[in-house]
Every structure is written in C-alpha cells, then in structure tokens.
Amino acid sequence: MIRLSTLLLATGMFGAVAVTKVRSQNALPPESHQFDFWLGQWEVFDQQGTPSGTSHVDSIAEGNGLLENWTDASGTTGKSLNVFNVQKRCWQQFWVGDGTPVLELSGSLVGTSMVLSGERTTPAGTKVLDRITWTPNADGSVTQHWVSSLDAGKTWRENFLGIYRRKGTAAKP
C-alpha cells in the first residue's frame, strides 16, 4: 500500500522536474536581447540639448520583455511593453500614453538599430504609418526617431527625435 506522504513526495519531485524541463525548453533566443541597449535610467534631450523627459526601461518577466516608463518635460506619461515574439520571429511594441495615440509596432534589428513600424487609424478615419528607430550611439546614448506617413510611406513627418543619455552623465547634446 502506497502511503499518501510517499505519493505527495513523488508528485512533488515530478512537478519540479517538469517545471525545470519546461523552463529549459523555453530558453530565450539570442534575439530576445537585441534591444537590451535601451535598458536603463535615461534623461532625454532634443537635438538642441533641451530636456524632453525621462525614461526608465526595465527588464521584465525574467528577461522576456522590456517595460518603458516615460515622462515628458510637461509631466505627460506613457508606457511601452516590448517583447521578442518567438512565434512571429520579430519584436513587438505596444505603447499607450496620456493624450497620444495607441501604437502597435513590430519589426527587427536593422544593422545596430531597432526599427519598429505599424499602422493605425485616426478617429477621423485617416490611415497613419508610424516608424520608430532606436539607435545605440558610440558614447552610450540612444537616439530615438519617430516618423509618420499619411501617404503609405511616400513622405514622412517627424514626430519626435530624442537623445537618451544615462542619468547622471554630464554630457548633454
């Protein structure tokens, strides 16, 4: 006759083995670290050196994603969730902020830059194509460039150009 404690112990050991096996089978692919250059605490400036805001980009879910917490110079906030989608073999971002459009972007690393794009529809029904590029710079800063097109990519309008500098660094653009 099997004792209940023996059964629980065996089940517990099997469960631990199963969890370990599932985690090892779901190891993160190398692509999941392509956006790690954006991790950190940032002060963000425009090209003239005027402060644009602050950003905190943290690793979440055991390295499976990045969460950005943005505050612009006027106090407006936003968040983005960024993840390498293994099934789709691309990066995806979901952005939501105070008074700004919701963005759903996808893309990949192009050279050393992360390039994500997506289409949205304005309340008036206009289709807008958004493209955001993050480029790591030699000095450790990151340049973020957001452009939009109302004509399916024939012409582009700049929405944002920010230089992310690690908090506490003295050099300003």
Side-chain angles (χ1 to χ4, degrees):
M1 186 170 196
I2 298 177
R3 300 175 112 178
L4 180 59
S5 60
T6 304
L7 182 59
L8 290 174
L9 179 60
T11 303
M13 288 189 316
F14 176 75
V17 170
V19 169
T20 302
K21 188 171 185 175
V22 167
R23 284 187 186 214
S24 67
Q25 287 175 346
N26 291 329
L28 297 175
E31 295 92 341
S32 66
H33 294 288
Q34 291 173 328
F35 216 171
D36 284 0
F37 66 83
W38 196 32
L39 290 169
Q41 308 279 326
W42 304 96
E43 295 176 294
V44 185
F45 302 89
D46 66 16
Q47 288 181 299
Q48 291 73 39
T50 304
S52 297
T54 60
S55 182
H56 305 273
V57 182
D58 299 309
S59 178
I60 60 168
E62 297 184 18
N64 283 292
L66 283 69
L67 177 66
E68 176 193 22
N69 291 286
W70 165 258
T71 304
D72 75 13
S74 68
T76 300
T77 62
K79 293 184 183 294
S80 71
L81 176 62
N82 306 269
V83 64
F84 181 75
N85 186 324
V86 175
Q87 292 80 20
K88 294 183 177 185
R89 304 297 303 165
C90 69
W91 276 89
Q92 293 181 292
Q93 181 185 85
F94 186 83
W95 161 265
V96 62
D98 295 346
T100 60
V102 171
L103 300 178
E104 292 182 65
L105 309 170
S106 62
S108 62
L109 198 64
V110 177
T112 60
S113 298
M114 183 60 66
V115 182
L116 305 179
S117 61
E119 187 175 87
R120 62 185 160 92
T121 304
T122 68
T126 305
K127 298 276 187 200
V128 180
L129 181 60
D130 292 295
R131 182 178 63 216
I132 304 178
T133 304
W134 293 261
T135 303
N137 301 312
D139 65 359
S141 66
V142 174
T143 300
Q144 180 183 349
H145 192 210
W146 175 18
V147 293
S148 296
S149 175
L150 299 173
D151 56 12
K154 293 176 189 160
T155 61
W156 295 91
R157 166 180 64 91
E158 185 172 281
N159 294 321
F160 180 77
L161 179 60
I163 301 165
Y164 286 59
R165 298 202 176 276
R166 295 202 183 272
K167 278 197 171 182
T169 59
K172 307 284 188 260

